Amino acid sequence: MLDNLEKYKVILASGSPRRRELMAGLGVNYEVRILPDVDESYPHTLQGEEIPLYIAKEKADAYIPMMQPDELIITADTIVWLDGKVLGKPRDREDALQMLRTMSGRTHEVFTGVCITTTDWQRSFTAQTEVRFATLSEDEIIYYVDNFKPMDKAGAYGIQGAFARYVASIQGNYDTVVGLPVSRVYREWKSLMEQEDEEE
């Protein structure tokens, strides 16, 4: 189905172990490549789904100058969006506690932007999932933050593992929340490879 993909060396440009696990599930050979200090800032006029898409493209642009013709690189970015604001990675313990207090009993959106790039073309998209938290007690919030240290996670939580008990519902793709919507990545690959077949 993805025979044409074999001519590419697939590279995941992410240090996230969660994205690596999701990529492994696609059954595609890939390697991880990480550039230090890639700029993840964005214009503050951007809203919601525009933000991770912009950052994913910025990450891709950082790799393009050193890409080889046989390489296909995947960049991604995930944000939590609530009340018209981004909830990024918490600055410290109190910031993490406050984020979870704010989301308790409410629905927020998670957007993951993905950019698939070669030296000849680029395809990008954003996936969206709505997540509703159960109402969390202060003890539950403190327990989670102190025991699971979610400082490297947007919105101060990881939907997999220990936090799953606090998730009331999900509308959309679970993998989008984890950090890489692999079903959409697969569909994009399939479309691109079919297009290349037609052009050959």
Side-chain angles (χ1 to χ4, degrees), residues 21-41:
E21 290 171 7
L22 290 169
M23 274 291 293
L26 280 171
V28 173
N29 291 325
Y30 73 96
E31 66 179 62
V32 174
R33 186 178 299 169
I34 305 168
L35 283 178
D37 303 323
V38 174
D39 184 15
E40 295 190 17
S41 61

Side-chain angles (χ1 to χ4, degrees), residues 2-9 193:
L2 294 176
D3 290 344
N4 262 6
L5 193 61
E6 294 179 2
K7 71 183 181 183
Y8 290 110
K9 179 188 294 183
M193 294 307 109

Side-chain angles (χ1 to χ4, degrees), residues 38-103:
V38 174
D39 184 15
E40 295 190 17
S41 61
Y42 58 89
H44 291 291
T45 53
L46 299 182
Q47 295 288 304
E49 66 183 35
E50 299 171 333
I51 296 169
L53 186 61
Y54 179 91
I55 295 173
K57 288 181 177 179
E58 286 290 291
K59 289 178 179 178
D61 288 347
Y63 286 87
I64 287 173
M66 61 193 72
M67 286 183 66
Q68 301 301 311
D70 66 339
E71 292 180 338
L72 181 153
I73 196 159
I74 300 168
T75 53
D77 190 73
T78 301
I79 66 164
V80 171
W81 184 255
L82 179 68
D83 296 334
K85 297 178 182 178
V86 174
L87 297 181
K89 296 174 183 177
R91 296 182 302 273
D92 51 32
R93 177 179 181 272
E94 184 53 43
D95 195 31
L97 294 172
Q98 189 55 44
M99 284 184 186
L100 295 181
R101 290 179 191 125
T102 302
M103 291 188 285

Side-chain angles (χ1 to χ4, degrees), residues 114-127:
V114 178
C115 197
I116 304 171
T117 304
T118 72
T119 54
D120 293 324
W121 49 258
Q122 186 174 81
R123 179 79 63 92
S124 58
F125 64 88
T126 305

Side-chain angles (χ1 to χ4, degrees), residues 97-167:
L97 294 172
Q98 189 55 44
M99 284 184 186
L100 295 181
R101 290 179 191 125
T102 302
M103 291 188 285
S104 174
R106 302 180 63 198
T107 299
H108 61 270
E109 295 173 289
V110 179
F111 296 109
T112 292
V114 178
C115 197
I116 304 171
T117 304
T118 72
T119 54
D120 293 324
W121 49 258
Q122 186 174 81
R123 179 79 63 92
S124 58
F125 64 88
T126 305
Q128 173 193 7
T129 295
E130 292 186 355
V131 180
R132 183 171 184 82
F133 284 2
T135 300
L136 306 179
S137 69
E138 185 68 9
D139 285 347
E140 287 173 325
I141 291 170
I142 291 171
Y143 175 83
Y144 179 74
V145 170
D146 287 349
N147 285 275
F148 297 99
K149 314 292 184 187
M151 303 304 168
D152 63 335
K153 297 176 175 62
Y157 78 96
I159 196 166
Q160 69 279 34
F163 199 83
R165 72 191 83 172
Y166 305 131
V167 177

